[in-house]
Amino acid sequence: MMESGIPLCSTCGEPVGFSSSSSDEVFVACPSCNYPLCRSCLEEEIREDRESCLRCGEPYVHAGGKDSLKDLESVEHVTMASRLQDDEDGGVHARNLSNLSMTESELNDVYGNPIWKNRVQSWKEKKIKKNADKKALKKTQVPLEQQMEAKESQEAGKPFSAIIPISLICEVWFAFSWVLDQFPKWSPICRETYIDTLSARYEMEGESCMLASVDFFVSTVDPLKEPPLVTANTVLSILAVDYPVEKVSCYVSDDGAAMLTFEAMAETAEFATKWVPFCKKYLIEPRAPEFYFSQKFDYLKDKVQPSFVKERRAMKRDYEEYKVRINALVAKAQKTPEDGWVMQDGTPWPGNNTRDHPGMIQVFLGHSGAHDIEGNELPRLVYVSREKRPGYQHHKKAGAMNALVRVSAVLTNAPYILNLDCDHYVNNSKAVREAMCFMMDPQVGRHLCYIQFPQRFDGIDRSDRYANRNIVFFDVNMKGLDGIQGPVYVGTGCVFNRQALYGYGPPSLPALPKSSFCSWCCSCCCCCPSKNASKDKNESFKDSRREDLNAAIFNLREIDNYDEYERSMLISQMSFEKSFGLSSVFIESTLMENGGLPESVNSSTLIKEAIHVISCGYEEKTEWGKEIGWIYGSVTEDILTGFKMHCRGWRSIYCMPLRPAFKGSAPINLSDRLHQVLRWALGSVEIFLSRHCPLWYGYGGGRLKWLQRLAYINTIVYPFTSLPLIAYCSLPAICLLTGKFIIPTLSNVASMLFLGLFISIILTSVLELRWSGVGVEDWWRNEQFWVIGGVSAHLFAVFQGFLKMLAGVDTNFTVTAKASDDADFGELYVFKWTTLLIPPTTLIVLNIVGVVAGFSDALNSGYEAWGPLFGKVFFSLWVILHLYPFLKGLMGRQNRTPTIVVLWSVLLASVFSLLWVKIDPFISNTDDSSSSQGCNSIDC
């Protein structure tokens, strides 16, 4: 029985005993802290080279090194047989019971730390040290020759390759894409226009207006998908624009040859005779009637004329009647007659077969007698439907826009062109004047190919769940590009210099002397031209032809002073017909830098010539779509068209008036938004795989600035970020399911570098938000949808682009529309099935399963597993937080998700988990052979 007052050993639990010098003094191993340790445990500590106190670190008072233990080894050292005998007698020391029952012998020190774990660790270290000593001793006994042979054999066994973790590849790509995204933001600028100065210079009283003419282009295809009322509002806003009426022409391209669109334009022309004078009289904004009458504001603000209320009420009534007529046309068009549509005069509609019909042109306004109710002239309104025949490639929207370029050149030939989508209306009636402040500037205008306005949208929910406004792109990236060589062309809301669309270069190109041209013409007319003349010809056109860019033609300054005969010679000798097609009227119009119709043109034959230039075979064996007009080869023809212009040396400007110039409608439901992003990403992949890829196109001319090239590279490689993004969104769940962690232990230097990089990225983002005026909420929505679109639309675009460009397989992802009963933002909650929904849903399910598995493992493993768990769960929750708008859109207001989406997602998540998770991932693997043999010694 233990004597009273004697402490127990902290290691074995037995009484520490008495000192050897006195039987009345308790044995003390450490006089500094009186750490309770018996003589046997102290001697064992000294044998294992631990001569300092476990509590305070001071040397033990009885520690004399291993030499002092030689006299005690004969007494203290016991064999396994003697220990077993002691076990039988019941006198075994508590230290020796550890091999039999670890749980019973594990005690804690005064700090609560388990002593057993420290002992096990020290025993392992001792075993490793002993093995190292044995190997060193063995090495000294081996002859030098054998040691060299062994070393060579070890070097010969080294591997020839190494495995790079996938996380490293993803990090390299993310770093590359981030750097690409930063280059265009180095020199952002903001611009201010002075419309009054423009009017004072070009609209002086008593003189004719000197403002340049503008041709508006509006394109539409299917009136059942693009409502005629929306297109009509766009046309009405154009006809009522604050610009001289004789300088405005509106061309509507009906690429579907629908009689519904034709009749809607006829009704619109009639209603415009009332709407246009009303807008100009009372300075209405916006001048699209649907959006003006639907605004909730005090419409009497700043109005001083008493007649305004009466006329506004009458105009609203007229517009409601106009809407009824348009809706009646739409209801009639829902069912196509068996014999096809018939016009009012009884003749069949020429476009009954949308794939095989002649070209159609109808001038509704702008001819004699087209005046409003007050007798004022109205802008020109022209309906155009290009010819289509089987066996011809029509190139969709790009082909329709090129047809409008040729028609407008024959009929009006304005020097500037403004194109709008059918769902974008003029929100600022002075938008054209804003653009002319740049285009007509003598210092800047001659070098501009286009003026790009930002896109703004109506009808988006307040939180902008799917980042339809795209604020970060339009208010950050585009401003940055404006400081380099100009913003990219985004497809709508853009004012073009017509000469840039024709493939001409800017005035900075070297001019061709007239004498050189005359001598070349003489040499060509001679029967036997001399070799010197041929050589002079080649040298004369070497700089202006720009062979490396395959440009269609040369600088217009070369022909400013030519007479009619020289022009005709130039057209034939310079192969203009091979570039522009067989139309002398159109070719003559291309040579007029300031626009207008040639004096030699017979006005009675213009319509016939316009029908000719929109024939389906007109572009055969020409440069249309290659170097002239909208460029073919991608569904995003806008980026490709702007890129070609910048390669020729043109620059563009970004114009952001205080009142948005144009507004449009955005697809606000999840499925339509993803398909829109898919189309954009697919176009970028197509450009990447084409000859126009910015990585290798246009170096010879040296006219594209390097930062501008990097910006275009960024616009075509961003879909490939979807591959590492998928990996990074999956890794957190994998870590939770497998018990591993993707973040390695960082050293102090690496931690500082990582922290510095992280802080610099945060500061860069803060600076961008400050100078651009973008809010944190808009920035966060952009980040969320970058992840949503990256793991769905961008991923599909990469695979679809490679299938289309390399294997010729064109995969279409169809969407099935469903109705919605919600009145406010009802389209937001419409669910449309598409395969694009499967990858994000799979990632959400996978991460939720990983979080649940991680918490379950932590509950089973004890407190030590909770520390790493929080790091893993943080990354999974970060992924789920980015995908939250997708999850909310997937569930909808009624919280119902199609069963097919859930089944596919759960199936993919299950298969993915089984590939990564072992049978029991939460128990470390052990060596069955070693465990089955048993262990009787701590050093075994």
Side-chain angles (χ1 to χ4, degrees), residues 363-439:
V363 180
F364 289 107
L365 298 175
H367 53 83
S368 58
H371 296 81
D372 59 27
I373 57 177
E374 296 182 358
N376 299 319
E377 185 181 357
L378 287 172
R380 184 181 297 252
L381 175 60
V382 183
Y383 169 88
V384 180
S385 181
R386 58 178 173 147
E387 181 187 19
K388 287 188 176 181
R389 302 296 183 190
Y392 288 92
Q393 181 61 260
H394 300 100
H395 302 288
K396 299 181 180 180
K397 180 183 177 180
M401 299 302 292
N402 285 337
L404 288 184
V405 171
R406 297 191 293 271
V407 168
S408 61
V410 172
L411 297 181
T412 53
N413 196 33
Y416 302 108
I417 295 172
L418 196 159
N419 82 293
L420 291 174
D421 289 342
C422 63
D423 58 347
H424 280 67
Y425 64 91
V426 181
N427 183 66
N428 184 350
S429 61
K430 297 183 182 297
V432 182
R433 296 178 181 270
E434 297 274 356
M436 291 302 110
C437 287
F438 299 107
M439 285 296 191

Side-chain angles (χ1 to χ4, degrees), residues 482-520:
D482 197 10
I484 306 175
Q485 196 172 346
V488 298
Y489 170 42
V490 297
T492 184
C494 187
V495 180
F496 282 97
N497 182 344
R498 186 184 285 269
Q499 301 302 319
L501 284 172
Y502 289 155
Y504 291 113
S508 58
L509 288 178
L512 175 67
K514 183 177 179 181
S515 58
S516 299
F517 167 75
C518 295
S519 61
W520 177 52

Side-chain angles (χ1 to χ4, degrees), residues 103-123:
T103 305
E104 295 177 359
S105 64
E106 185 175 17
L107 298 175
N108 297 333
D109 58 13
V110 295
Y111 292 98
N113 298 321
I115 300 298
W116 171 253
K117 293 186 177 181
N118 297 332
R119 295 294 183 272
V120 171
Q121 184 66 25
S122 64
W123 291 327

Side-chain angles (χ1 to χ4, degrees), residues 650-902:
W650 293 96
R651 71 153 296 134
S652 57
I653 280 181
Y654 195 53
C655 182
M656 296 182 63
L658 295 178
R659 180 180 179 85
F662 311 102
K663 281 190 175 183
S665 302
I668 63 174
N669 71 73
L670 179 59
S671 302
D672 288 347
R673 176 69 168 131
L674 288 179
H675 272 268
Q676 183 187 57
V677 175
L678 171 63
R679 184 176 64 85
W680 295 342
L682 178 60
S684 296
V685 175
E686 290 175 343
I687 296 174
F688 177 80
L689 298 175
S690 70
R691 74 182 186 92
H692 291 117
C693 178
L695 287 170
W696 51 71
Y697 181 83
Y699 283 95
R703 299 184 180 276
L704 186 66
K705 294 184 179 181
W706 275 102
L707 289 180
Q708 190 78 5
R709 182 180 297 279
L710 291 176
Y712 274 109
I713 292 175
N714 190 37
T715 61
I716 65 167
V717 301
Y718 76 89
F720 297 97
T721 308
S722 59
L723 300 177
L725 189 60
I726 284 284
Y728 257 49
C729 290
S730 304
L731 281 177
I734 295 171
C735 294
L736 289 168
L737 293 173
T738 59
K740 299 180 181 179
F741 201 27
I742 61 175
I743 303 298
T745 303
L746 299 178
S747 62
N748 293 334
V749 177
S751 300
M752 294 300 295
L753 292 176
F754 174 79
L755 184 61
L757 179 62
F758 183 76
I759 293 176
S760 65
I761 293 176
I762 295 297
L763 292 177
T764 301
S765 300
V766 171
L767 288 176
E768 290 178 3
L769 298 182
R770 290 290 296 173
W771 62 255
S772 64
V774 175
V776 176
E777 183 180 2
D778 292 323
W779 175 83
W780 174 240
R781 290 300 185 201
N782 182 81
E783 292 295 312
Q784 285 181 314
F785 199 79
W786 176 75
V787 176
I788 296 172
V791 299
S792 58
H794 296 173
L795 181 67
F796 276 70
V798 171
F799 289 102
Q800 185 179 356
F802 275 93
L803 286 175
K804 182 178 180 180
M805 301 301 293
L806 301 180
V809 179
D810 191 2
T811 306
N812 294 320
F813 302 96
T814 57
V815 179
T816 302
K818 295 181 180 180
S820 175
D821 297 327
D822 300 285
D824 297 333
F825 302 109
E827 183 72 11
L828 180 66
Y829 305 102
V830 171
F831 185 88
K832 300 178 180 180
W833 159 246
T834 171
T835 50
L836 296 176
L837 303 177
I838 294 178
T841 309
T842 303
L843 290 174
I844 291 177
V845 174
L846 189 64
N847 280 276
I848 293 176
V849 170
V851 171
V852 174
F855 277 103
S856 302
D857 174 42
L859 292 174
N860 295 331
S861 302
Y863 70 94
E864 293 182 349
W866 286 94
L869 174 67
F870 286 123
K872 301 173 187 177
V873 170
F874 171 78
F875 287 107
S876 270
L877 293 179
W878 190 247
V879 173
I880 296 174
L881 188 62
H882 275 81
L883 295 176
Y884 174 72
F886 172 84
L887 180 62
K888 193 172 182 181
L890 191 68
M891 302 301 292
R893 178 173 290 181
Q894 294 79 16
N895 294 327
R896 291 180 296 180
T897 303
T899 307
I900 186 66
V901 176
V902 178

Side-chain angles (χ1 to χ4, degrees), residues 179-214:
V179 171
L180 275 182
D181 193 49
Q182 300 309 307
F183 280 123
K185 304 173 184 176
W186 281 3
S187 57
I189 59 175
C190 293
R191 299 182 183 273
E192 185 178 1
T193 57
Y194 304 104
I195 298 178
D196 295 338
T197 304
L198 176 74
S199 299
R201 179 175 299 182
Y202 294 105
E203 291 183 295
M204 292 179 289
E205 295 183 3
E207 298 183 7
S208 60
C209 179
M210 301 295 293
L211 289 174
S213 301
V214 180

